[in-house]
Every structure is written in C-alpha cells, then in structure tokens.
C-alpha cells in the first residue's frame, strides 16, 4: 500500500530544497567575494578565528555561517559597514 504525501510534507520538502539551494548560492557568493578581495581561506580563517574547514563548508554551501560571523565576512569583503561592537565581542573577532 503506497502512502501519499500530505500537503505539509510537500511544503516541508519544497522549503528544505529551497533552503539547500540558497545555501549553495550563498556559498558561491562568499567564495566570489573572497577571491575578489584576493584573500585566501587561511587568511579569512585566521582573521575570524575559525577553521579553514568551516570557511570551505560555507563556500560549498554545506553549512551557513553564524549571523555574527556572516556580518564580519561581509565587512572583510567590503560589502558592509563595520559590524557593531556587540557582534565583534560575541564572535571574538578583531577587525
């Protein structure tokens, strides 16, 4: 006997698929921004006090950076004003 997917299941699967696509797009953007600035994965990781593995996972769309780190990334890449002192203190980033 086959089970039919409920409307809730279908919506959940669609949203999950959309989220995964967005992560990939975000990853491509982050990688492009980093390359555009001429920075290496090592330099970004050292500046943000995270591992190179984390940076690579964000750029591949496997994970999403935390909001505070994301703001710091945008600042490093020249796409945002300096993050507020609160974000920098929370993340331990010195910019």
């Amino acid at each position: 006997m086959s089970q039919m997917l409920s409307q809730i299941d279908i919506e959940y699967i669609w949203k999950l698929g959309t989220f995964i696509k967005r992560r990939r797009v975000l990853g491509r953007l982050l990688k492009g921004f980093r390359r555009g600035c001429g920075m290496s994965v090592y330099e970004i990781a050292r500046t943000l006090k995270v591992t190179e593995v984390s940076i690579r996972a964000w750029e591949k769309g496997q994970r999403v950076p935390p909001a505070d780190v994301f703001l710091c990334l945008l600042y490093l890449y020249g796409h945002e004003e300096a993050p507020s002192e609160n974000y920098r203190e929370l993340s331990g980033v010195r910019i």
Side-chain angles (χ1 to χ4, degrees), residues 17-53:
T18 301
F19 177 71
I20 291 170
K21 288 177 191 172
R22 288 181 186 158
R23 283 192 328 196
R24 289 182 188 145
V25 169
L26 176 63
R28 282 188 226 125
L29 287 172
L30 290 175
K31 189 173 191 173
F33 290 159
R34 178 181 57 77
R35 285 182 170 174
C37 291
M39 299 180 82
S40 69
V41 171
Y42 172 77
E43 291 170 320
I44 296 296
R46 193 177 76 203
T47 302
L48 296 178
K49 298 181 183 176
V50 297
T51 65
E52 292 177 57
V53 172

Side-chain angles (χ1 to χ4, degrees), residues 70-94:
F70 181 70
L71 289 175
C72 292
L73 280 169
L74 290 179
Y75 174 68
L76 285 173
Y77 299 152
H79 291 279
E80 194 62 45
E81 294 180 17
S84 70
E85 200 60 41
N86 292 341
Y87 281 119
R88 287 186 278 172
E89 285 177 19
L90 288 172
S91 63
V93 174
R94 296 179 194 269

